Amino acid sequence: MDSICASTSIIAHQVFDRKSQSVVCRIPIVEFAGRRVRRSWSLRMVARQRKDRVLGLAVRAQAAEVTKEAYAFREDRIRIPRGLNDGSDSGLSHGRLWPPANKADDPALHNPLLRQERMGCGWLGVIFEWEGVVVEYDPELEKQAWLALSQEEGKSPPPGFVLKRIEGMKNEQAISEVLCWSRDPSELRRLASRKEEIYQRLNGEFHQFRTGSREFLGSLINNGIPMAVASTRPRKFLEESMVAVGVEGSFSAIVAAEDVHRGKPDPEMFVYAAQLLSVIPERCIVFGNSNSTVEAAHDAQMKCVAVASKHPVYELGAADLVEPELEME
């Protein structure tokens, strides 16, 4: 509105500020006829008054045009394009502002009960990170594995902030993009495989449920909620760990390092897990233990529950919910 007022002032200034014309205040002619006062205007004053009225109408008309242009520009900026995936990415359909389209609805389902169940809160999928959420995890072993690999390869040991940055990444991704040890695909695979061998040797055969994890998984299984595991560990390691704790066959899908190109904070593995579960991302809940997991889940349009297993609770405030461990209340 300030810009509109300024434009109006400029228009008025341009209309009335004419050096060739001088504005002179004329006093009307007053005659006293008995006790009554009678005023008469000269023809020159009447003509000037009409001219001022015409100029005032012109100013108001130009100001109205400026206001119309300003509001039209504002509407163009907030207008939602209609040809962009039919509004599927933004939750809008055909430019509709409200209510947003229900992505859970499937008109192809002719059974109204199935459609109602699909649109209800019971239709959802759960995606777990494995280490630090379901089973115990020691982050120091991961750091020791990287330091041992750097010593074997004659590389300078990565500092602490670098090791913290590569948490949750695929080994190939960390080696090529952060550590910059190599970019050759065969060399990347060799280094990544060797790093996993060192980690598994340090970890041994130790696989143990975290407190409350077994009961929580059992409750989800009893309620028929599909579950998936998404991890940057090799599939062989995940399957051996599941056999060790006795939950093999409990998960509908397993997304391992071999299944994705990039690890966290890229949402690729969570999106792929949702596809395997046949559940839209908006109806998936991710259980993780790091801020990179929270970032990846939110980028995938999923909710995230952070388990404070290796980070304090106050560092995981970006998650939708933070819990010290998986417990059934």
Side-chain angles (χ1 to χ4, degrees), residues 19-20 41 47 57 79 86-87 99 119 123 155 171 198 208-209 216-217 223 236 247 272-273 293 303 312 319 329:
K19 296 182 180 180
S20 61
W41 298 85
L57 293 175
R79 185 177 292 116
D86 296 330
M119 290 187 293
W123 186 60
K155 307 290 185 180
N171 293 333
I198 297 173
Q208 181 180 351
F209 270 120
F216 189 77
L217 293 178
N223 287 277
K236 181 180 178 181
V247 292
Y272 183 48
T293 304
K303 300 297 182 181
E329 297 181 355

Side-chain angles (χ1 to χ4, degrees), residues 111-144:
N111 189 335
L113 297 179
L114 292 180
R115 290 187 64 179
Q116 182 180 6
E117 180 182 0
R118 184 182 176 91
M119 290 187 293
C121 61
W123 186 60
L124 56 90
V126 177
I127 303 173
F128 289 99
E129 283 192 320
W130 185 248
E131 295 178 309
V133 178
V134 180
V135 297
E136 295 289 351
Y137 169 67
D138 187 1
E140 291 299 323
L141 298 181
E142 188 78 13
K143 297 179 182 178
Q144 294 177 17

Side-chain angles (χ1 to χ4, degrees), residues 162-205:
V162 174
L163 293 175
K164 189 173 182 179
R165 180 182 175 186
I166 62 179
E167 288 182 0
M169 290 185 177
K170 282 189 62 176
N171 293 333
E172 294 87 346
Q173 179 185 357
I175 293 171
S176 63
E177 298 181 8
V178 181
L179 299 176
C180 300
W181 288 351
S182 176
R183 292 189 181 276
D184 180 67
S186 60
E187 183 68 9
L188 289 176
R189 288 192 295 268
R190 185 189 69 83
L191 293 175
S193 177
R194 180 54 185 161
K195 183 262 176 183
E196 284 300 322
E197 291 176 1
I198 297 173
Y199 174 79
Q200 293 181 27
R201 187 179 70 245
L202 294 175
N203 187 56
E205 298 296 332

Side-chain angles (χ1 to χ4, degrees), residues 74-91:
R74 184 179 303 176
E75 291 176 358
D76 289 338
R77 292 186 62 182
I78 65 175
R79 185 177 292 116
I80 299 173
R82 295 189 176 185
L84 189 60
N85 291 333
D86 296 330
S88 59
D89 292 338
S90 60

